[in-house]
Amino acid sequence: MAPASGCCYLGFDFSTQQLKVIAVDEHLDVVYQDSVQFDNEIPEYRTQGGVHFHSDRLTVTSPVLMWVKAVDNILEKMKISGFEFTRVKALSGSGQQHGSIYWKKGAETVLQNLAHDKPLHEQMKDSFAVQDSPVWMDSSTTEQCQLLEQAVGGAQHLADITGSRAYERFTGNQIAKICKTKPEAYKETERISLVSSFAASVFLGDYAPIDYSDGSGMNLMDIFTKEWAPQCLRATATQLKEKLGSPVPSSTVLGSVSPYFVRRYGFSPDCRVVAFTGDNPGSLAGMRLKEGDIAVSLGTSDTIFLWIKDPKPDVEGHIFCCKTVFTENCFCASSFKNGSLTRERIRDECAGGSWEDFSKALQSVPMGNSGKIGIYFDVMEITPAAEGVHRFNRDNKKVVGFPKEVEIRALIEGQFLAKRVHAENLGYKI
């Protein structure tokens, strides 16, 4: 619960599986935290790990209204707990990168005129031209990636402009697919948001701009000028610049919180909304890494990243813009799709669903796993583009399975060896 006196600040994280909130006071001490698990607490949307897996095994989406409903759910939890919203001086947050939301014509008017006596999801049910948003786990845009690279002169040239070669999950390619496969929905779209700017829009009560950091993960933004690259826009979809709006610095104060939250929950009308950003840039800024540091984030997707002063884009890995109060450097990131969901599967199969038993089994086998190695790609991986589970014995011969404790160590060692190999391939010295 927030303290009886003094201001506090809220941070929200719209991740793949849940919406989380944390409140800190003026000394950065945590005074409140909670979450809403999508699968369990909003079951009517029938998600698995927060997403819908489609029959082609490549298309992965999340229902936009589930995220909208989660906002009211988590604020109701805070209200019941006695949290004093009048103390909130400002709020901001992060969202899973690469997801895209397609606001239908007229949605801005809805945002600006929300009635405080009705929940958000009821008022916004007709605000989206695409009800299920493509998210970072989607791998169905290979055709669009190829067309984009061809249009700008190849993968390396695209990386030189946007910081990355074309990737299936990147938002520009998702937009191109929507434009081709759902032309009427795209025509009805008046604004396209990332998950981060969508979340900011809900709290702001108006369309919020995309910030530089999250915008640099779209294959659309020139990472050096921090503006949309005309050649990329032309190759992606018509009237795209107007639908995206202009990107802004990540520290931009967007305005005051929507009257909806003032009247329904008791926020101060002076509470400010600061631009939301992607989850990876947000994590990196929070850890305050210095040049030479490497961080490994273990989440639904695993990520390795580090600060760099002089970005040298390559066809492997990504260069993102990430200006904070601590640094103006860019950072390099590489993502691995088969992260926590794969670890949870092996935990359930080999350790009865217990992390404690999982850890004991891991420690019972010597480091190096006696030469046994496992590669676990439950879904199409990002780095490298591969799928399937592969196990090898100490003679480098493929085997069908491992004992449970060997399977656990093979998973963990295999995941971390893959990250190290990829980092070294990019030129980093461990």
Side-chain angles (χ1 to χ4, degrees):
M1 186 182 299
S5 61
C7 61
C8 63
Y9 304 86
L10 290 185
F12 295 89
D13 177 36
F14 287 72
S15 64
T16 310
Q17 301 185 62
Q18 61 184 325
L19 169 60
K20 301 185 286 291
V21 66
I22 187 169
V24 296
D25 62 20
E26 30 201 355
H27 305 294
L28 299 184
D29 293 325
V30 176
V31 297
Y32 184 93
Q33 54 186 332
D34 210 334
S35 65
V36 170
Q37 299 282 337
F38 298 142
D39 291 2
N40 298 329
E41 298 184 60
I42 317 181
E44 60 267 34
Y45 293 99
R46 299 182 178 182
T47 55
Q48 179 183 353
V51 301
H52 290 150
F53 294 97
H54 294 243
S55 58
D56 63 1
R57 300 190 66 192
L58 297 175
T59 304
V60 184
T61 60
S62 289
V64 187
L65 284 177
M66 178 183 71
W67 297 331
V68 173
K69 189 171 184 179
V71 173
D72 270 331
N73 283 16
I74 204 162
L75 292 176
E76 288 291 346
K77 281 187 175 185
M78 298 174 74
K79 186 176 182 180
I80 291 171
S81 76
F83 186 90
E84 296 183 45
F85 291 98
T86 54
R87 304 290 181 187
V88 180
K89 192 77 170 177
L91 64 88
S92 188
S94 63
Q96 54 175 294
Q97 287 193 272
H98 313 303
S100 49
I101 291 84
Y102 302 80
W103 297 92
K104 197 173 184 179
K105 291 178 180 177
E108 185 175 32
T109 302
V110 174
L111 274 174
Q112 294 171 344
N113 296 278
L114 292 168
H116 73 279
D117 58 345
K118 297 179 181 178
L120 288 170
H121 72 282
E122 290 184 6
Q123 300 183 73
M124 298 173 66
K125 66 183 188 317
D126 298 320
S127 294
F128 306 103
V130 177
Q131 293 295 319
D132 258 27
S133 289
V135 293
W136 65 271
M137 296 173 72
D138 189 280
S139 303
S140 66
T141 63
T142 301
E143 177 186 348
Q144 286 72 30
C145 290
Q146 293 171 346
L147 292 173
L148 177 60
E149 290 183 349
Q150 291 171 8
V152 301
Q156 183 60 58
H157 193 208
L158 180 63
D160 291 339
I161 300 168
T162 70
S164 305
R165 67 169 303 165
Y167 282 88
E168 280 81 359
R169 70 189 187 282
F170 273 35
T171 322
N173 307 304
Q174 297 291 344
I175 293 171
K177 180 188 173 186
I178 292 291
C179 184
K180 178 182 178 180
T181 62
K182 300 180 179 180
E184 289 304 314
Y186 183 80
K187 185 178 179 180
E188 283 298 305
T189 298
E190 70 178 7
R191 186 65 171 249
I192 298 174
S193 293
L194 300 181
V195 177
S196 56
S197 59
F198 152 79
S201 300
V202 173
F203 284 104
L204 186 65
D206 206 345
Y207 291 149
I210 293 170
D211 82 298
Y212 292 158
S213 293
D214 218 1
S216 56
M218 299 175 69
N219 275 147
L220 292 177
M221 195 182 86
D222 187 319
I223 61 171
F224 298 100
T225 66
K226 298 182 178 62
E227 296 178 353
W228 304 123
Q231 61 269 56
C232 297
L233 295 178
R234 288 194 299 268
T236 299
T238 59
Q239 298 180 315
L240 186 51
K241 186 175 182 180
E242 294 78 8
K243 295 179 189 290
L244 291 174
S246 299
V248 298
S250 305
S251 56
T252 301
V253 177
L254 304 177
S256 298
V257 70
S258 166
Y260 173 86
F261 299 100
V262 175
R263 295 170 185 159
R264 189 175 180 92
Y265 297 105
F267 279 86
S268 166
D270 297 324
C271 175
R272 311 300 278 174
V273 178
V274 181
F276 283 44
T277 190
D279 50 4
N280 290 321
S283 297
L284 192 64
M287 287 186 290
R288 301 182 65 178
L289 296 186
K290 301 183 294 293
E291 186 177 7
D293 292 343
I294 291 180
V296 179
S297 171
L298 301 178
T300 307
S301 66
D302 291 347
T303 307
I304 57 171
F305 43 87
L306 74 159
W307 291 114
I308 51 177
K309 284 185 176 180
D310 301 308
K312 296 179 176 60
D314 191 72
V315 293
E316 289 188 334
H318 318 294
I319 305 295
F320 296 115
C321 302
C322 193
K323 180 178 179 180
T324 71
V325 295
F326 308 117
T327 180
E328 295 187 16
N329 292 352
C330 291
F331 75 91
C332 181
S334 294
S335 296
F336 303 82
K337 187 182 294 185
N338 294 273
S340 67
L341 295 180
T342 304
R343 288 188 290 274
E344 289 167 11
R345 177 181 68 80
I346 298 296
R347 176 203 63 188
D348 294 344
E349 293 177 0
C350 298
S354 167
W355 283 121
E356 183 178 355
D357 291 344
F358 183 97
S359 296
K360 289 179 180 177
L362 177 66
Q363 295 168 2
S364 71
V365 180
M367 287 186 291
N369 213 15
S370 300
K372 302 177 181 66
I373 293 176
I375 300 169
Y376 300 82
F377 296 157
D378 288 357
V379 294
M380 179 64 71
E381 186 50 84
I382 300 166
T383 310
E387 187 177 10
V389 175
H390 311 275
R391 303 175 183 88
F392 300 88
N393 63 19
R394 62 186 303 164
D395 298 319
N396 202 30
K397 293 183 178 179
K398 201 164 186 179
V399 296
V400 175
F402 290 139
K404 291 181 178 180
E405 64 277 8
V406 174
E407 183 94 296
I408 288 172
R409 181 162 281 279
L411 165 71
I412 297 301
E413 290 191 351
Q415 288 187 328
F416 276 88
L417 281 171
K419 293 171 179 60
R420 175 169 180 165
V421 167
H422 188 65
E424 291 179 333
N425 285 344
L426 290 172
Y428 306 132
K429 306 299 181 183
I430 306 299

